[in-house]
Amino acid sequence: MSYYRVLGLKKEPFSTSPDPAFFYESAFHKTTLNRIQIAIKLKRGLSLILGDVGIGKTTLSRRLFQLLKRDKKVFSHMILNPIYETESEFLTALLRLFKIDQGPDPLSVVESLDLIERYLFDKGVEDGQTVVLLIDEAQRLSPSSLELLRALLNYETNEHKLLQLILMGQMELLPRIRGMNNFWDRISLRQALNPLDEADVQAMIVFRLRQAGHASPESLFTAEAIRKIHHHTQGYPRRIAMLCHDALEQLVMSATSTECVDEEIIHGLIKEGSQLLAQPVLN
C-alpha cells in the first residue's frame, strides 16, 4: 500500500509532476497569472517569465494553459521542450502545432513564415481570435529559433500583435535575450518568479494535503517542522515537495507513536541528505 493511503489520502500530495490541480497559487503567483492574461487580452505580444530551477515555472505554465483553454476565443498552443537543430525543423513543428497544411513538398523558411503569417492574420483579424504560443524551458531555444520568434513578433496590425508569445525559462535565458536588442525591446511583460515565504510554504503544504484528500482539522506537519522546511528549501516548491514526500514516508515507517511530521523528522532527513552528498562518487 502506498504511504499516502496509510494516512487516509486519496492521492500522492507531494508529487513533483506539474499537475495544475496541485499548484498552490500564492498572491504573487496569482498576480503573475493575471498580468500574463491581461497582456494576452490586450494582445501586447511577448511575455517573459524567468526563474531558477525548481521555482515552479512548469507547473505555472500548465496552470496558465488550463486557464487559457477556458476562453473559446483563445487558440492556445504549448511547446514543452523547444530543442530544434535547424530553422526548418522549428518552423515545421510550428506548422504542425498550428495545424497548417504544409502540402507534399518541403518548404523553404520564407514559405513557412508566409504560411504562419497568413494563419495568424486569418485567426487574429478575419476570425477575431487570439493565438497564443507558450514555450516552456525556453532557455533551450537555439539562437536561430529565437530569431524566428522575433520575426513572428513582427506580424501585427495597426492595433496589436498577431501572435501572443509567452516564454518561460531559467535565468540563463536573460543575458541571451538582453543581447538581442531587436528582441529585448519587444517584451511587454518581464517577470521573475520568487521563492515562497514561510507563510506560503505552510499554505502550500496544507493546500496540497487538502487536494490529496486530507480532511482532518489536525495538521500532518508541526509549525516547527514547517519552519525548518522553509529554512532548508529556501521556499523553492520542488524542494518543498521532495522533502515533504520523504517526511510523510518517514512518518508512516516510523516505529514511534508520532502522528505528524515534527522538527525531528525533518532534521533527520536533512542530515541524511547531507551525509549522502558528502560521500565520494564511485566510478
Side-chain angles (χ1 to χ4, degrees):
M1 179 182 290
S2 301
Y3 80 87
Y4 58 85
R5 295 195 181 278
V6 176
L7 297 169
L9 305 176
K10 298 176 182 178
K11 296 181 178 180
E12 183 181 356
F14 297 109
S15 169
T16 54
S17 298
D19 185 348
F22 282 83
F23 175 59
Y24 165 68
E25 288 186 17
S26 67
F28 176 77
H29 286 132
K30 289 178 181 177
T31 298
T32 300
L33 286 169
N34 286 336
R35 292 186 68 196
I36 297 172
Q37 291 179 89
I38 290 171
I40 291 172
K41 188 172 184 178
L42 296 177
K43 299 182 180 180
R44 299 289 303 280
L46 175 58
S47 297
L48 178 65
I49 311 298
L50 299 174
D52 294 327
V53 175
I55 202 69
K57 298 183 299 299
T58 296
T59 312
L60 181 71
S61 71
R62 300 296 199 282
R63 176 58 177 157
L64 175 61
F65 197 67
Q66 186 182 64
L67 292 172
L68 294 176
K69 282 293 185 183
R70 296 176 182 177
D71 191 337
K72 294 181 179 180
K73 284 191 169 292
V74 174
F75 279 74
S76 303
H77 310 274
M78 180 184 288
I79 296 176
L80 302 178
N81 189 26
I83 299 178
Y84 304 100
E85 294 183 359
T86 65
E87 292 181 330
S88 294
E89 187 178 331
F90 183 35
L91 287 171
T92 297
L94 290 179
L95 289 168
R96 289 174 180 166
L97 191 65
F98 293 152
K99 298 181 180 179
I100 301 173
D101 184 14
Q102 304 175 50
D105 301 321
L107 299 174
S108 68
V109 169
V110 173
E111 289 171 331
S112 295
L113 287 172
D114 285 344
L115 282 177
I116 294 174
E117 181 179 16
R118 192 179 313 153
Y119 166 82
L120 293 174
F121 184 85
D122 288 344
K123 289 294 182 184
V125 179
E126 299 296 333
D127 299 339
Q129 306 287 340
T130 301
V131 180
V132 177
L133 176 60
L134 196 165
I135 300 180
D136 193 17
E137 300 291 348
Q139 75 279 354
R140 297 182 178 181
L141 286 163
S142 66
S144 63
S145 293
L146 285 172
E147 282 295 336
L148 287 173
L149 290 174
R150 182 197 60 77
L152 294 179
L153 289 170
N154 285 334
Y155 302 153
E156 58 189 341
T157 67
N158 291 333
E159 293 82 24
H160 57 75
K161 299 288 186 181
L162 292 177
L163 176 66
Q164 308 312 306
L165 177 63
I166 306 162
L167 299 182
M168 290 195 173
Q170 295 175 19
M171 297 303 296
E172 66 195 66
L173 179 62
L174 183 60
R176 293 178 58 200
I177 293 182
R178 273 183 173 167
M180 301 172 62
N181 292 331
N182 54 359
F183 196 96
W184 179 254
D185 58 14
R186 284 172 167 78
I187 302 174
S188 63
L189 170 61
R190 302 177 181 91
Q191 182 68 66
L193 299 180
N194 298 324
L196 303 176
D197 60 22
E198 186 177 324
D200 276 323
V201 170
Q202 179 179 12
M204 172 187 165
I205 291 171
V206 170
F207 170 77
R208 282 195 164 220
L209 287 170
R210 290 278 183 260
Q211 290 295 95
H214 181 63
S216 171
E218 300 298 325
S219 175
L220 285 175
F221 289 78
T222 67
E224 292 76 14
I226 290 173
R227 188 172 300 113
K228 200 164 190 67
I229 290 169
H230 172 253
H231 181 266
H232 179 69
T233 64
Q234 297 298 299
Y236 281 70
R238 185 185 300 169
R239 299 177 194 171
I240 296 166
M242 293 174 67
L243 185 54
C244 287
H245 169 88
D246 292 344
L248 289 183
E249 277 195 331
Q250 188 69 30
L251 177 65
V252 169
M253 294 187 299
S254 176
T256 67
S257 58
T258 303
E259 296 181 353
C260 60
V261 175
D262 57 18
E263 186 178 12
E264 184 177 350
I265 289 177
I266 300 299
H267 177 75
L269 289 170
I270 294 172
K271 183 178 180 181
E272 180 182 311
S274 298
Q275 290 173 342
L276 286 173
L277 288 174
Q279 290 181 358
V281 177
L282 300 178
N283 295 325

Short mmCIF file of all heavy atoms in Angstrom, two decimals, residues 201-256:
data_model
loop_
_atom_site.label_atom_id
_atom_site.label_comp_id
_atom_site.label_asym_id
_atom_site.label_seq_id
_atom_site.Cartn_x
_atom_site.Cartn_y
_atom_site.Cartn_z
N VAL A 201 4.79 28.68 2.38
CA VAL A 201 5.22 27.28 2.48
C VAL A 201 4.18 26.49 3.28
O VAL A 201 3.76 25.39 2.88
CB VAL A 201 6.61 27.16 3.14
CG1 VAL A 201 6.93 25.71 3.46
CG2 VAL A 201 7.68 27.73 2.22
N GLN A 202 3.74 27.06 4.39
CA GLN A 202 2.71 26.40 5.20
C GLN A 202 1.42 26.26 4.40
O GLN A 202 0.79 25.19 4.38
CB GLN A 202 2.44 27.20 6.47
CG GLN A 202 1.34 26.57 7.34
CD GLN A 202 1.10 27.36 8.61
OE1 GLN A 202 1.59 28.48 8.76
NE2 GLN A 202 0.36 26.79 9.53
N ALA A 203 1.02 27.33 3.70
CA ALA A 203 -0.21 27.29 2.92
C ALA A 203 -0.11 26.28 1.78
O ALA A 203 -1.09 25.59 1.47
CB ALA A 203 -0.51 28.68 2.36
N MET A 204 1.07 26.18 1.16
CA MET A 204 1.26 25.21 0.08
C MET A 204 1.12 23.78 0.60
O MET A 204 0.47 22.93 -0.03
CB MET A 204 2.65 25.39 -0.54
CG MET A 204 3.03 24.30 -1.53
SD MET A 204 4.75 24.43 -2.10
CE MET A 204 4.96 22.80 -2.85
N ILE A 205 1.72 23.50 1.75
CA ILE A 205 1.64 22.16 2.34
C ILE A 205 0.20 21.80 2.67
O ILE A 205 -0.29 20.71 2.35
CB ILE A 205 2.55 22.06 3.57
CG1 ILE A 205 4.02 22.13 3.15
CG2 ILE A 205 2.28 20.78 4.36
CD1 ILE A 205 5.00 22.26 4.30
N VAL A 206 -0.52 22.72 3.31
CA VAL A 206 -1.92 22.49 3.67
C VAL A 206 -2.76 22.30 2.41
O VAL A 206 -3.60 21.39 2.33
CB VAL A 206 -2.47 23.67 4.50
CG1 VAL A 206 -3.98 23.55 4.67
CG2 VAL A 206 -1.78 23.73 5.85
N PHE A 207 -2.54 23.13 1.40
CA PHE A 207 -3.31 23.06 0.15
C PHE A 207 -3.12 21.70 -0.53
O PHE A 207 -4.09 21.05 -0.94
CB PHE A 207 -2.88 24.18 -0.79
CG PHE A 207 -3.44 24.06 -2.18
CD1 PHE A 207 -4.76 24.41 -2.46
CD2 PHE A 207 -2.64 23.59 -3.22
CE1 PHE A 207 -5.27 24.29 -3.75
CE2 PHE A 207 -3.14 23.47 -4.51
CZ PHE A 207 -4.46 23.81 -4.77
N ARG A 208 -1.88 21.27 -0.64
CA ARG A 208 -1.61 20.01 -1.32
C ARG A 208 -2.20 18.83 -0.57
O ARG A 208 -2.71 17.89 -1.19
CB ARG A 208 -0.10 19.83 -1.50
CG ARG A 208 0.48 20.66 -2.65
CD ARG A 208 1.87 20.17 -3.01
NE ARG A 208 2.29 20.67 -4.31
CZ ARG A 208 2.96 19.95 -5.20
NH1 ARG A 208 3.26 18.70 -4.95
NH2 ARG A 208 3.31 20.47 -6.36
N LEU A 209 -2.14 18.89 0.74
CA LEU A 209 -2.74 17.80 1.53
C LEU A 209 -4.26 17.78 1.35
O LEU A 209 -4.86 16.71 1.23
CB LEU A 209 -2.37 17.97 3.01
CG LEU A 209 -0.92 17.64 3.37
CD1 LEU A 209 -0.61 18.07 4.80
CD2 LEU A 209 -0.65 16.14 3.20
N ARG A 210 -4.88 18.94 1.31
CA ARG A 210 -6.33 19.02 1.10
C ARG A 210 -6.69 18.48 -0.29
O ARG A 210 -7.67 17.75 -0.45
CB ARG A 210 -6.81 20.47 1.23
CG ARG A 210 -6.75 21.00 2.65
CD ARG A 210 -7.97 20.56 3.46
NE ARG A 210 -7.93 21.14 4.80
CZ ARG A 210 -7.53 20.51 5.88
NH1 ARG A 210 -7.10 19.27 5.80
NH2 ARG A 210 -7.54 21.11 7.06
N GLN A 211 -5.91 18.84 -1.29
CA GLN A 211 -6.15 18.36 -2.65
C GLN A 211 -6.02 16.84 -2.73
O GLN A 211 -6.67 16.19 -3.56
CB GLN A 211 -5.17 19.00 -3.63
CG GLN A 211 -5.40 20.48 -3.89
CD GLN A 211 -6.73 20.76 -4.57
OE1 GLN A 211 -7.73 21.06 -3.92
NE2 GLN A 211 -6.75 20.64 -5.88
N ALA A 212 -5.18 16.28 -1.86
CA ALA A 212 -4.96 14.84 -1.85
C ALA A 212 -6.00 14.09 -1.02
O ALA A 212 -6.00 12.85 -0.99
CB ALA A 212 -3.56 14.53 -1.33
N GLY A 213 -6.86 14.84 -0.33
CA GLY A 213 -7.93 14.20 0.42
C GLY A 213 -7.82 14.27 1.93
O GLY A 213 -8.59 13.62 2.65
N HIS A 214 -6.88 15.07 2.43
CA HIS A 214 -6.74 15.20 3.89
C HIS A 214 -7.88 16.07 4.43
O HIS A 214 -7.95 17.25 4.14
CB HIS A 214 -5.40 15.83 4.24
CG HIS A 214 -5.14 15.97 5.71
ND1 HIS A 214 -5.06 14.90 6.56
CD2 HIS A 214 -4.95 17.08 6.48
CE1 HIS A 214 -4.82 15.33 7.78
NE2 HIS A 214 -4.76 16.64 7.76
N ALA A 215 -8.76 15.45 5.22
CA ALA A 215 -9.95 16.16 5.70
C ALA A 215 -9.88 16.49 7.18
O ALA A 215 -10.71 17.26 7.69
CB ALA A 215 -11.20 15.32 5.41
N SER A 216 -8.92 15.96 7.89
CA SER A 216 -8.83 16.19 9.33
C SER A 216 -8.41 17.63 9.64
O SER A 216 -7.59 18.20 8.92
CB SER A 216 -7.81 15.22 9.94
OG SER A 216 -7.56 15.55 11.30
N PRO A 217 -8.96 18.22 10.69
CA PRO A 217 -8.53 19.57 11.08
C PRO A 217 -7.11 19.58 11.66
O PRO A 217 -6.49 20.63 11.77
CB PRO A 217 -9.56 19.97 12.13
CG PRO A 217 -10.07 18.68 12.69
CD PRO A 217 -10.05 17.71 11.55
N GLU A 218 -6.62 18.41 12.05
CA GLU A 218 -5.27 18.31 12.61
C GLU A 218 -4.24 18.31 11.49
O GLU A 218 -4.37 17.58 10.51
CB GLU A 218 -5.14 17.03 13.44
CG GLU A 218 -6.12 16.94 14.62
CD GLU A 218 -5.89 18.06 15.63
OE1 GLU A 218 -4.71 18.44 15.82
OE2 GLU A 218 -6.88 18.53 16.21
N SER A 219 -3.22 19.11 11.65
CA SER A 219 -2.18 19.20 10.64
C SER A 219 -1.26 17.98 10.68
O SER A 219 -1.03 17.41 11.76
CB SER A 219 -1.35 20.47 10.84
OG SER A 219 -0.26 20.51 9.93
N LEU A 220 -0.74 17.58 9.52
CA LEU A 220 0.23 16.49 9.48
C LEU A 220 1.66 16.99 9.64
O LEU A 220 2.59 16.20 9.69
CB LEU A 220 0.11 15.74 8.14
CG LEU A 220 -1.10 14.80 7.99
CD1 LEU A 220 -1.17 14.22 6.58
CD2 LEU A 220 -1.03 13.68 9.01
N PHE A 221 1.82 18.32 9.74
CA PHE A 221 3.14 18.92 9.94
C PHE A 221 3.06 19.92 11.08
O PHE A 221 2.15 20.77 11.10
CB PHE A 221 3.62 19.63 8.67
CG PHE A 221 3.99 18.73 7.54
CD1 PHE A 221 3.00 18.14 6.74
CD2 PHE A 221 5.32 18.45 7.25
CE1 PHE A 221 3.34 17.31 5.69
CE2 PHE A 221 5.66 17.62 6.19
CZ PHE A 221 4.67 17.04 5.41
N THR A 222 3.99 19.86 12.01
CA THR A 222 4.01 20.84 13.08
C THR A 222 4.55 22.17 12.55
O THR A 222 5.20 22.23 11.50
CB THR A 222 4.90 20.37 14.24
OG1 THR A 222 6.27 20.33 13.80
CG2 THR A 222 4.48 19.00 14.75
N ALA A 223 4.28 23.23 13.32
CA ALA A 223 4.77 24.56 12.92
C ALA A 223 6.29 24.58 12.88
O ALA A 223 6.89 25.22 12.00
CB ALA A 223 4.24 25.60 13.90
N GLU A 224 6.92 23.87 13.82
CA GLU A 224 8.39 23.83 13.86
C GLU A 224 8.94 23.10 12.64
O GLU A 224 9.97 23.49 12.07
CB GLU A 224 8.86 23.13 15.13
CG GLU A 224 8.59 23.88 16.42
CD GLU A 224 7.12 23.79 16.86
OE1 GLU A 224 6.39 22.94 16.30
OE2 GLU A 224 6.72 24.59 17.73
N ALA A 225 8.24 22.04 12.21
CA ALA A 225 8.67 21.30 11.03
C ALA A 225 8.58 22.18 9.79
O ALA A 225 9.49 22.20 8.95
CB ALA A 225 7.82 20.05 10.85
N ILE A 226 7.50 22.94 9.67
CA ILE A 226 7.31 23.82 8.51
C ILE A 226 8.37 24.91 8.50
O ILE A 226 8.91 25.27 7.44
CB ILE A 226 5.90 24.43 8.54
CG1 ILE A 226 4.87 23.34 8.23
CG2 ILE A 226 5.78 25.57 7.53
CD1 ILE A 226 3.44 23.76 8.38
N ARG A 227 8.68 25.43 9.67
CA ARG A 227 9.72 26.46 9.75
C ARG A 227 11.06 25.92 9.26
O ARG A 227 11.79 26.58 8.52
CB ARG A 227 9.85 26.95 11.19
CG ARG A 227 10.77 28.16 11.37
CD ARG A 227 10.70 28.72 12.77
NE ARG A 227 9.35 29.14 13.10
CZ ARG A 227 8.57 28.55 14.02
NH1 ARG A 227 9.05 27.53 14.72
NH2 ARG A 227 7.35 28.98 14.25
N LYS A 228 11.37 24.68 9.65
CA LYS A 228 12.63 24.06 9.23
C LYS A 228 12.60 23.72 7.74
O LYS A 228 13.62 23.83 7.05
CB LYS A 228 12.89 22.79 10.06
CG LYS A 228 14.35 22.36 10.06
CD LYS A 228 14.64 21.38 11.16
CE LYS A 228 16.14 21.14 11.31
NZ LYS A 228 16.85 22.34 11.79
N ILE A 229 11.44 23.31 7.23
CA ILE A 229 11.30 23.03 5.79
C ILE A 229 11.57 24.30 4.99
O ILE A 229 12.30 24.28 4.00
CB ILE A 229 9.89 22.48 5.48
CG1 ILE A 229 9.73 21.07 6.05
CG2 ILE A 229 9.63 22.48 3.97
CD1 ILE A 229 8.31 20.55 6.02
N HIS A 230 10.98 25.41 5.42
CA HIS A 230 11.19 26.67 4.71
C HIS A 230 12.66 27.08 4.72
O HIS A 230 13.22 27.48 3.71
CB HIS A 230 10.35 27.78 5.34
CG HIS A 230 10.66 29.14 4.78
ND1 HIS A 230 11.36 30.10 5.50
CD2 HIS A 230 10.40 29.69 3.56
CE1 HIS A 230 11.50 31.18 4.74
NE2 HIS A 230 10.93 30.96 3.57
N HIS A 231 13.29 26.94 5.88
CA HIS A 231 14.68 27.35 6.01
C HIS A 231 15.58 26.50 5.11
O HIS A 231 16.48 27.02 4.43
CB HIS A 231 15.14 27.23 7.46
CG HIS A 231 16.56 27.67 7.67
ND1 HIS A 231 17.62 26.77 7.66
CD2 HIS A 231 17.11 28.90 7.89
CE1 HIS A 231 18.75 27.44 7.86
NE2 HIS A 231 18.47 28.72 8.01
N HIS A 232 15.32 25.19 5.07
CA HIS A 232 16.19 24.29 4.31
C HIS A 232 15.95 24.42 2.81
O HIS A 232 16.91 24.38 2.01
CB HIS A 232 15.95 22.84 4.73
CG HIS A 232 16.79 21.86 3.98
ND1 HIS A 232 18.16 21.76 4.14
CD2 HIS A 232 16.45 20.91 3.05
CE1 HIS A 232 18.63 20.83 3.34
NE2 HIS A 232 17.62 20.29 2.66
N THR A 233 14.71 24.57 2.38
CA THR A 233 14.39 24.61 0.96
C THR A 233 14.49 26.01 0.37
O THR A 233 14.47 26.18 -0.86
CB THR A 233 12.96 24.10 0.70
OG1 THR A 233 12.02 24.99 1.35
CG2 THR A 233 12.78 22.69 1.24
N GLN A 234 14.57 27.03 1.25
CA GLN A 234 14.60 28.43 0.81
C GLN A 234 13.35 28.81 0.01
O GLN A 234 13.38 29.75 -0.79
CB GLN A 234 15.86 28.70 -0.02
CG GLN A 234 17.15 28.52 0.77
CD GLN A 234 17.24 29.50 1.95
OE1 GLN A 234 17.25 30.71 1.75
NE2 GLN A 234 17.31 28.98 3.16
N GLY A 235 12.26 28.06 0.21
CA GLY A 235 10.99 28.41 -0.42
C GLY A 235 10.83 27.96 -1.85
O GLY A 235 9.92 28.42 -2.56
N TYR A 236 11.68 27.04 -2.32
CA TYR A 236 11.56 26.52 -3.68
C TYR A 236 10.56 25.36 -3.70
O TYR A 236 10.78 24.34 -3.03
CB TYR A 236 12.92 26.05 -4.20
CG TYR A 236 13.80 27.18 -4.66
CD1 TYR A 236 14.37 28.08 -3.76
CD2 TYR A 236 14.04 27.38 -6.01
CE1 TYR A 236 15.16 29.14 -4.18
CE2 TYR A 236 14.83 28.43 -6.46
CZ TYR A 236 15.39 29.30 -5.53
OH TYR A 236 16.17 30.35 -5.96
N PRO A 237 9.47 25.48 -4.45
CA PRO A 237 8.39 24.49 -4.41
C PRO A 237 8.83 23.05 -4.67
O PRO A 237 8.33 22.13 -4.01
CB PRO A 237 7.43 24.97 -5.50
CG PRO A 237 7.61 26.46 -5.51
CD PRO A 237 9.08 26.65 -5.29
N ARG A 238 9.73 22.84 -5.63
CA ARG A 238 10.15 21.45 -5.90
C ARG A 238 10.87 20.86 -4.72
O ARG A 238 10.65 19.70 -4.35
CB ARG A 238 11.03 21.39 -7.15
CG ARG A 238 11.38 19.94 -7.56
CD ARG A 238 12.34 19.91 -8.72
NE ARG A 238 11.79 20.57 -9.89
CZ ARG A 238 12.51 20.86 -10.98
NH1 ARG A 238 13.80 20.58 -11.02
NH2 ARG A 238 11.94 21.45 -12.01
N ARG A 239 11.74 21.64 -4.08
CA ARG A 239 12.46 21.15 -2.91
C ARG A 239 11.49 20.88 -1.77
O ARG A 239 11.64 19.89 -1.03
CB ARG A 239 13.50 22.18 -2.47
CG ARG A 239 14.57 22.50 -3.49
CD ARG A 239 15.50 23.57 -2.96
NE ARG A 239 16.34 24.15 -3.99
CZ ARG A 239 17.10 25.23 -3.81
NH1 ARG A 239 17.13 25.82 -2.62
NH2 ARG A 239 17.84 25.70 -4.80
N ILE A 240 10.50 21.74 -1.62
CA ILE A 240 9.49 21.56 -0.57
C ILE A 240 8.75 20.25 -0.79
O ILE A 240 8.57 19.45 0.14
CB ILE A 240 8.49 22.73 -0.56
CG1 ILE A 240 9.20 24.03 -0.21
CG2 ILE A 240 7.35 22.48 0.42
CD1 ILE A 240 8.39 25.28 -0.49
N ALA A 241 8.31 20.01 -2.02
CA ALA A 241 7.55 18.80 -2.34
C ALA A 241 8.38 17.55 -2.07
O ALA A 241 7.88 16.57 -1.50
CB ALA A 241 7.08 18.84 -3.79
N MET A 242 9.65 17.57 -2.46
CA MET A 242 10.51 16.40 -2.26
C MET A 242 10.74 16.12 -0.78
O MET A 242 10.67 14.97 -0.34
CB MET A 242 11.84 16.62 -2.98
CG MET A 242 11.70 16.66 -4.50
SD MET A 242 13.25 17.09 -5.36
CE MET A 242 14.23 15.64 -5.00
N LEU A 243 10.99 17.17 -0.01
CA LEU A 243 11.23 16.99 1.41
C LEU A 243 9.96 16.53 2.13
O LEU A 243 10.02 15.65 3.01
CB LEU A 243 11.76 18.29 2.01
CG LEU A 243 12.18 18.25 3.49
CD1 LEU A 243 13.19 17.14 3.75
CD2 LEU A 243 12.76 19.60 3.92
N CYS A 244 8.82 17.10 1.76
CA CYS A 244 7.55 16.70 2.40
C CYS A 244 7.19 15.26 2.04
O CYS A 244 6.65 14.53 2.88
CB CYS A 244 6.44 17.65 1.97
SG CYS A 244 6.55 19.28 2.73
N HIS A 245 7.46 14.87 0.82
CA HIS A 245 7.22 13.48 0.40
C HIS A 245 8.03 12.52 1.28
O HIS A 245 7.50 11.54 1.82
CB HIS A 245 7.62 13.31 -1.06
CG HIS A 245 7.68 11.88 -1.53
ND1 HIS A 245 6.59 11.21 -2.02
CD2 HIS A 245 8.72 10.99 -1.55
CE1 HIS A 245 6.93 9.97 -2.33
NE2 HIS A 245 8.23 9.82 -2.05
N ASP A 246 9.32 12.81 1.42
CA ASP A 246 10.19 11.95 2.25
C ASP A 246 9.73 11.96 3.70
O ASP A 246 9.80 10.93 4.39
CB ASP A 246 11.63 12.43 2.16
CG ASP A 246 12.23 12.21 0.77
OD1 ASP A 246 11.65 11.43 -0.01
OD2 ASP A 246 13.27 12.83 0.47
N ALA A 247 9.26 13.11 4.18
CA ALA A 247 8.84 13.23 5.57
C ALA A 247 7.61 12.38 5.85
O ALA A 247 7.52 11.71 6.90
CB ALA A 247 8.56 14.69 5.91
N LEU A 248 6.65 12.38 4.93
CA LEU A 248 5.44 11.56 5.14
C LEU A 248 5.77 10.08 5.06
O LEU A 248 5.21 9.27 5.80
CB LEU A 248 4.38 11.93 4.10
CG LEU A 248 3.71 13.29 4.28
CD1 LEU A 248 2.62 13.49 3.23
CD2 LEU A 248 3.10 13.44 5.68
N GLU A 249 6.67 9.71 4.16
CA GLU A 249 7.11 8.30 4.12
C GLU A 249 7.78 7.91 5.43
O GLU A 249 7.52 6.82 5.97
CB GLU A 249 8.10 8.10 2.97
CG GLU A 249 7.45 7.88 1.62
CD GLU A 249 8.42 7.33 0.60
OE1 GLU A 249 9.63 7.61 0.71
OE2 GLU A 249 7.97 6.62 -0.31
N GLN A 250 8.60 8.81 5.96
CA GLN A 250 9.27 8.55 7.23
C GLN A 250 8.27 8.43 8.35
O GLN A 250 8.40 7.59 9.25
CB GLN A 250 10.27 9.68 7.53
CG GLN A 250 11.17 9.45 8.73
CD GLN A 250 12.18 8.34 8.49
OE1 GLN A 250 12.59 8.12 7.36
NE2 GLN A 250 12.54 7.63 9.54
N LEU A 251 7.24 9.27 8.31
CA LEU A 251 6.20 9.23 9.33
C LEU A 251 5.49 7.88 9.33
O LEU A 251 5.24 7.30 10.39
CB LEU A 251 5.19 10.35 9.07
CG LEU A 251 3.98 10.42 10.02
CD1 LEU A 251 4.43 10.75 11.44
CD2 LEU A 251 2.98 11.45 9.52
N VAL A 252 5.16 7.37 8.15
CA VAL A 252 4.45 6.10 8.04
C VAL A 252 5.33 4.94 8.50
O VAL A 252 4.86 4.00 9.15
CB VAL A 252 4.00 5.87 6.58
CG1 VAL A 252 3.50 4.45 6.37
CG2 VAL A 252 2.91 6.86 6.20
N MET A 253 6.62 5.00 8.17
CA MET A 253 7.53 3.90 8.52
C MET A 253 8.04 3.98 9.95
O MET A 253 8.65 3.02 10.45
CB MET A 253 8.73 3.91 7.56
CG MET A 253 8.36 3.60 6.12
SD MET A 253 9.80 3.43 5.05
CE MET A 253 10.55 5.06 5.20
N SER A 254 7.82 5.11 10.62
CA SER A 254 8.34 5.30 11.97
C SER A 254 7.74 4.31 12.95
O SER A 254 6.53 4.03 12.92
CB SER A 254 8.07 6.73 12.44
OG SER A 254 8.49 6.89 13.77
N ALA A 255 8.59 3.79 13.80
CA ALA A 255 8.13 2.83 14.82
C ALA A 255 7.61 3.54 16.06
O ALA A 255 7.11 2.90 16.98
CB ALA A 255 9.27 1.89 15.20
N THR A 256 7.70 4.87 16.09
CA THR A 256 7.23 5.62 17.24
C THR A 256 5.74 5.91 17.12
O THR A 256 5.10 5.59 16.14
CB THR A 256 8.01 6.94 17.36
OG1 THR A 256 7.67 7.78 16.25
CG2 THR A 256 9.51 6.69 17.35
#
